[in-house]
Every structure is written in structure tokens, then in C-alpha cells.
């Protein structure tokens, strides 16, 4: 009985000891599982952190791309707005130019005129057109200097002005007062007894609205007054003086001889005296006719 009791006691003591030996193995396994779980948790948390970082980077890149896109759109809108502003500025300038009054309108305002024609734009200038001045057209000039056979030579050039405007079919080719250039075509002082001095002039150019134009005209000839009467009177006087001297010297015969001597002296004096000069005074109004037609381009 006691032996059996000791057996039970020993068994009781053995069984608890055996349980105590199995408990540390379970704890180690549990601890290992816990460590593995902690390791997996750490790895999962690390992966989650990496995924979070990648997500943030992706979101940042997306934000930058969106900002760049918005910036590009803003730049495009700015360029378009600047082009529209430039077009509007150009249209405004054109409108101002169209609305600007013409000089005629300004004159109308200054004189108190309010007619619609005064406020309209000035018409464009007419295109240049050729105008032909026909042969035979009269050219009226006024001399500015005296022309005389005393000093004028053949071929000498002189200047004058138009006394009347040169007009063809209502178009003014040269205004009154325009410069005219002429030439002395003949300057003949004349003979000592027979003939008289004469001077001839013609025109060779006129200053037109298109500039200097060469022309050809007929000549205007001026003659000196005849000196024959003066020469005869001078001879008679000299004959009378010679007769008086001859009479004093030798009576009737002396008078006859003296008269002959006086007549000879009178004739010699007349032959030695040149006739008066032919002159065209300054401020003379003279008319000429064109020999050939000329064409002038009038603006």
C-alpha cells in the first residue's frame, strides 16, 4: 500500500516535471513565430513606406507636369493676347489716319466752313500726263535787260521772263514770270552811209512746270532809225560853211571853190559817222511763235 502510494507520488512528481520540460519548447516556437511575424511586419512596413515614398514622388511629378502644362497654356494665352493687342493697335492707327482731316478740311474749319466735302479725305494726286504744245503757239516774253548792237554779239545769250502764262487746253505749261532763255541771232551795226543797224533775237528754252524745256522760235528783228536825213543836213551845212570861207578868201570864184571843199568835207564827215544802234529796251514785251511742237509731262 505504501509502495503503491509512493508509486503514485513518484508518478505525480514525474508528470509535472515532464510538463515543465515541454513548455519551453512551445515558448520557443511561439517566440520564433512572433519573431517571424515581427520580421514580416517590419518588411511589410518597409514596403509600405517605399510604396508611400513612390506615391509621393509620383504625385509630385504629376503636380510638376500639371504646373508645366498650365504654364505652357498661360504662355500661349499671353502670346495670343499680345498678337490681338498688336492687331488692335494697328487698327486703331488706321482708324485715326482715316479720321484725320485733310488740309482742305483744316482750311474749311479755319474759315468756318462745315461742308461734308471739307471734312472728306483729299483725293489722290492725278497721274503725270504728257501735254503737247503745238507749233505756232505764241510765247510772250518781257525783256529784263537792254539788247543793243553796240555791245551784243551774235550767239550771245540773254534772259527774260514770260509776260503771259503758257497754257494749252486749260493746262498751265509755264506760269507767268517763268524764266526764258534767248539768243542773239543777228547783231549788225549797219553801213556807214547806206543801210541801218539791226538786231535779231530768238528763244531757245523756257522753264516749265516739268523743268527746263528747249524750244525753237522765229526771230524778232529790231532796226535802228535811218540817219540819211541827218547826213544830208550835215553835208549842206558843211557846203555853206565852205562857200562862206571861199567868198571871204577870193570872191565869187573863191566861193565856188569853197563850196566844193565844204561839200567834200560834209560828205567825208557823213561817211565817217556810223548810223544809230539798233536797240531792244529792257521791259519790252515781245511775241514769238514756236517753230516746232514740244511735249511736256505735267504732274
Amino acid at each position: 500500500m505504501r509502495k503503491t502510494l509512493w508509486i503514485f507520488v513518484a508518478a505525480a512528481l514525474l508528470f509535472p516535471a515532464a510538463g515543465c520540460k515541454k513548455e519551453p519548447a512551445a515558448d520557443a516556437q511561439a517566440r520564433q513565430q512572433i519573431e517571424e511575424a515581427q520580421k514580416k511586419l517590419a518588411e511589410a512596413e518597409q514596403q509600405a513606406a517605399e510604396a508611400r515614398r513612390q506615391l509621393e514622388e509620383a504625385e509630385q511629378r504629376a503636380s510638376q507636369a500639371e504646373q508645366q502644362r498650365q504654364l505652357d497654356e498661360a504662355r500661349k494665352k499671353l502670346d495670343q493676347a499680345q498678337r490681338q493687342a498688336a492687331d488692335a493697335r494697328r487698327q486703331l492707327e488706321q482708324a485715326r489716319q482715316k479720321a484725320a482731316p485733310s488740309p482742305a478740311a483744316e482750311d474749311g474749319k479755319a474759315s468756318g466752313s462745315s461742308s461734308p466735302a471739307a471734312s472728306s479725305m483729299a483725293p489722290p494726286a492725278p497721274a503725270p500726263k504728257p501735254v503737247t504744245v503745238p507749233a505756232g503757239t505764241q510765247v510772250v516774253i518781257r525783256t529784263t535787260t537792254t539788247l543793243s548792237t553796240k555791245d551784243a554779239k551774235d550767239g550771245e545769250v540773254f534772259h527774260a521772263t514770260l509776260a503771259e502764262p503758257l497754257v494749252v487746253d486749260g493746262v498751265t505749261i509755264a506760269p507767268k514770270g517763268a524764266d526764258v532763255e534767248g539768243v542773239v541771232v543777228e547783231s549788225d551795226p549797219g553801213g556807214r552811209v547806206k543801210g541801218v543797224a539791226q538786231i535779231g533775237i530768238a528763244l531757245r528754252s523756257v522753264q516749265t512746270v516739268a523743268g527746263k524745256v528747249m524750244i525753237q522760235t522765229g526771230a524778232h528783228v529790231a532796226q535802228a532809225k535811218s540817219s540819211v536825213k541827218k547826213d544830208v543836213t550835215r553835208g549842206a551845212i558843211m557846203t555853206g560853211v565852205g562857200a562862206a570861207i571861199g567868198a571871204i578868201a577870193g570872191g565869187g570864184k573863191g566861193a565856188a571853190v569853197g563850196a566844193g571843199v565844204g561839200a567834200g568835207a560834209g560828205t567825208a564827215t557823213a561817211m565817217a559817222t556810223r548810223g544809230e544802234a539798233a536797240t531792244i529796251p529792257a521791259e519790252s514785251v515781245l511775241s514769238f511763235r514756236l517753230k516746232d511742237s514740244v511735249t511736256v509731262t505735267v504732274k
Side-chain angles (χ1 to χ4, degrees), residues 134-160:
T137 299
Q138 181 175 261
V139 181
V140 183
I141 70 162
R142 183 185 300 275
T143 58
T144 57
T145 57
T146 299
L147 301 173
S148 173
T149 54
K150 288 182 179 180
D151 48 22
K153 306 298 181 182
D154 290 357
E156 184 176 325
V157 176
F158 68 92
H159 288 271

Side-chain angles (χ1 to χ4, degrees), residues 41-57:
L41 176 60
E43 291 178 354
E45 288 180 348
Q46 185 178 0
Q47 291 177 356
E50 180 66 19
R52 189 178 298 108
R53 183 183 62 80
Q54 293 177 357
L55 176 61
E56 290 177 353
E57 289 179 355

Side-chain angles (χ1 to χ4, degrees), residues 129-189:
K129 62 176 181 179
V131 178
T132 300
V133 184
T137 299
Q138 181 175 261
V139 181
V140 183
I141 70 162
R142 183 185 300 275
T143 58
T144 57
T145 57
T146 299
L147 301 173
S148 173
T149 54
K150 288 182 179 180
D151 48 22
K153 306 298 181 182
D154 290 357
E156 184 176 325
V157 176
F158 68 92
H159 288 271
T161 59
L162 279 181
E164 297 178 2
L166 185 58
V167 180
V168 177
D169 296 333
V171 178
T172 299
I173 305 301
K176 180 180 179 180
D179 183 67
V180 178
E181 191 177 83
V183 62
V184 177
V185 296
E186 181 187 13
S187 179
D188 181 12

Side-chain angles (χ1 to χ4, degrees), residues 10-257:
L13 292 173
L14 291 172
F15 281 112
C20 289
K21 289 180 181 180
K22 293 180 179 179
E23 191 173 0
D27 290 342
Q29 184 177 4
R31 192 179 299 111
Q32 183 179 1
Q33 291 176 352
I34 290 172
E35 290 177 356
E36 291 178 354
Q38 288 178 345
K39 184 178 180 181
K40 291 181 179 179
L41 176 60
E43 291 178 354
E45 288 180 348
Q46 185 178 0
Q47 291 177 356
E50 180 66 19
R52 189 178 298 108
R53 183 183 62 80
Q54 293 177 357
L55 176 61
E56 290 177 353
E57 289 179 355
E59 289 178 348
Q60 186 177 4
R61 287 194 297 269
S63 176
Q64 291 177 353
E66 179 65 18
Q67 290 178 357
Q68 185 64 36
R69 185 184 62 80
Q70 293 177 356
L71 180 60
D72 292 340
E73 290 182 356
R75 286 176 177 171
K76 290 180 180 179
K77 290 181 180 179
L78 176 61
D79 293 340
Q80 184 178 3
Q82 288 178 343
R83 286 195 299 269
Q84 291 176 350
D87 291 340
R89 192 177 299 109
R90 178 177 54 80
Q91 293 175 0
L92 175 61
E93 186 65 23
Q94 291 177 352
R96 285 177 176 174
Q97 291 178 358
K98 291 180 180 179
S102 63
E106 291 293 338
D107 295 341
K109 289 180 181 179
S111 60
S113 173
S114 60
S115 62
S119 61
S120 61
M121 297 297 291
K129 62 176 181 179
V131 178
T132 300
V133 184
T137 299
Q138 181 175 261
V139 181
V140 183
I141 70 162
R142 183 185 300 275
T143 58
T144 57
T145 57
T146 299
L147 301 173
S148 173
T149 54
K150 288 182 179 180
D151 48 22
K153 306 298 181 182
D154 290 357
E156 184 176 325
V157 176
F158 68 92
H159 288 271
T161 59
L162 279 181
E164 297 178 2
L166 185 58
V167 180
V168 177
D169 296 333
V171 178
T172 299
I173 305 301
K176 180 180 179 180
D179 183 67
V180 178
E181 191 177 83
V183 62
V184 177
V185 296
E186 181 187 13
S187 179
D188 181 12
R192 293 186 179 277
V193 177
K194 295 182 179 180
V196 293
Q198 64 178 16
I199 184 171
I201 61 174
L203 307 182
R204 71 175 187 179
S205 71
V206 59
Q207 189 70 25
T208 70
V209 294
K212 185 177 181 180
V213 175
M214 304 306 293
I215 59 175
Q216 290 185 348
T217 67
H220 174 85
V221 179
Q223 291 184 339
K225 294 180 179 180
S226 176
S227 61
V228 174
K229 183 176 181 180
K230 292 183 179 180
D231 293 340
V232 172
T233 302
R234 185 181 296 108
I237 292 174
M238 293 302 293
T239 300
V241 171
I245 294 174
I248 295 173
K253 184 177 180 181
V257 173

Side-chain angles (χ1 to χ4, degrees), residues 250-271:
K253 184 177 180 181
V257 173
V261 173
T267 302
T269 301
M271 292 182 66

